[in-house]
Amino acid sequence: MAKDSELKASAQQVNVLVVIDTDYVKAHYPPNTNQSSPQGIDHNSQFMICTGSRTPPVGQGTADLQFSANVGDFVSFTGTSIYANSDDAVIIYGINYWQGDKVFNGFESDLTTRAGAVMPNPASQPTGLPANQETITFASYDSRIAKGGLEYFYVYFALYSLDSSGEKQNLYGYFYWDPSVKVA
């Protein structure tokens, strides 16, 4: 068996970065602080970027991303605001089956803390280099593909808005929308 064939059959990691235009969401949807009843939103404020898809993703950079995976592949969703969570912030807190084939196992939050993650050095302006190494925790929402099919699912996220002091992010609301995944 050729080495390339062996690798294609092995489990892969699929990463999906979700970027939310929080200004759009706040301009079009009122605050909603009920986590168990998030507000559905249109597809104009979400941008998803995928790596590791088995075939070229459809809708790359849109709210309607479709990616391909095989049974056994790992899938991770990471969320951020258009401000990289420094002004308004986004946390993905749920991914649930909606329609079609149920291809995902259950999702769970995964926190990874890196003791030497890099951040720009404020004392080294204008470049910020060399970078400072700091302890930073990164969050993702992870699952493994259980079976083949086409699943439509909801992605739930919490939106936090920067207050007027420019120092604190407060809950604005809970929202969701509905992308899909195709599994061979």
Side-chain angles (χ1 to χ4, degrees):
M1 180 182 270
K3 188 173 182 174
D4 286 344
S5 297
E6 291 174 42
L7 291 175
K8 289 181 181 175
S10 298
Q12 284 187 190
Q13 177 68 43
V14 178
N15 294 300
V16 180
L17 174 63
V18 177
V19 180
I20 304 292
D21 179 348
T22 56
D23 289 336
Y24 180 91
V25 174
K26 292 187 303 182
H28 292 87
Y29 299 96
N32 171 21
T33 58
N34 184 348
Q35 183 178 351
S36 62
S37 185
Q39 170 71 43
I41 62 174
D42 64 34
H43 290 210
N44 295 315
S45 64
Q46 311 88 316
F47 307 92
M48 293 188 290
I49 302 167
C50 176
T51 64
S53 179
R54 294 289 183 155
T55 61
V58 175
Q60 186 82 285
T62 73
D64 296 310
L65 175 71
Q66 289 189 16
F67 61 90
S68 296
N70 285 353
V71 172
D73 285 351
F74 297 93
V75 180
S76 292
F77 285 81
T78 303
T80 188
S81 71
I82 198 73
Y83 301 106
N85 282 352
S86 67
D87 286 355
D88 293 344
V90 167
I91 296 174
I92 292 177
Y93 72 91
I95 296 178
N96 290 329
Y97 169 83
W98 169 52
Q99 180 179 320
D101 305 300
K102 191 170 170 101
V103 303
F104 288 116
N105 282 310
F107 277 85
E108 62 182 47
S109 180
D110 184 31
L111 301 176
T112 302
T113 302
R114 301 204 188 282
V118 295
M119 294 294 293
N121 182 343
S124 299
Q125 293 303 319
T127 65
L129 299 174
N132 286 340
Q133 290 186 309
E134 300 177 13
T135 300
I136 299 175
T137 300
F138 299 92
S140 62
Y141 218 68
D142 304 342
S143 183
R144 192 163 186 173
I145 300 292
K147 69 177 189 175
L150 175 62
E151 179 176 335
Y152 296 88
F153 55 98
Y154 294 130
V155 177
Y156 298 95
F157 67 94
L159 189 159
Y160 293 82
S161 184
L162 189 62
D163 73 7
S164 60
S165 75
E167 294 294 327
K168 186 175 180 186
Q169 296 168 323
N170 296 309
L171 179 65
Y172 179 82
Y174 298 100
F175 303 94
Y176 74 91
W177 85 102
D178 55 346
S180 65
V181 62
K182 184 177 183 180
V183 177

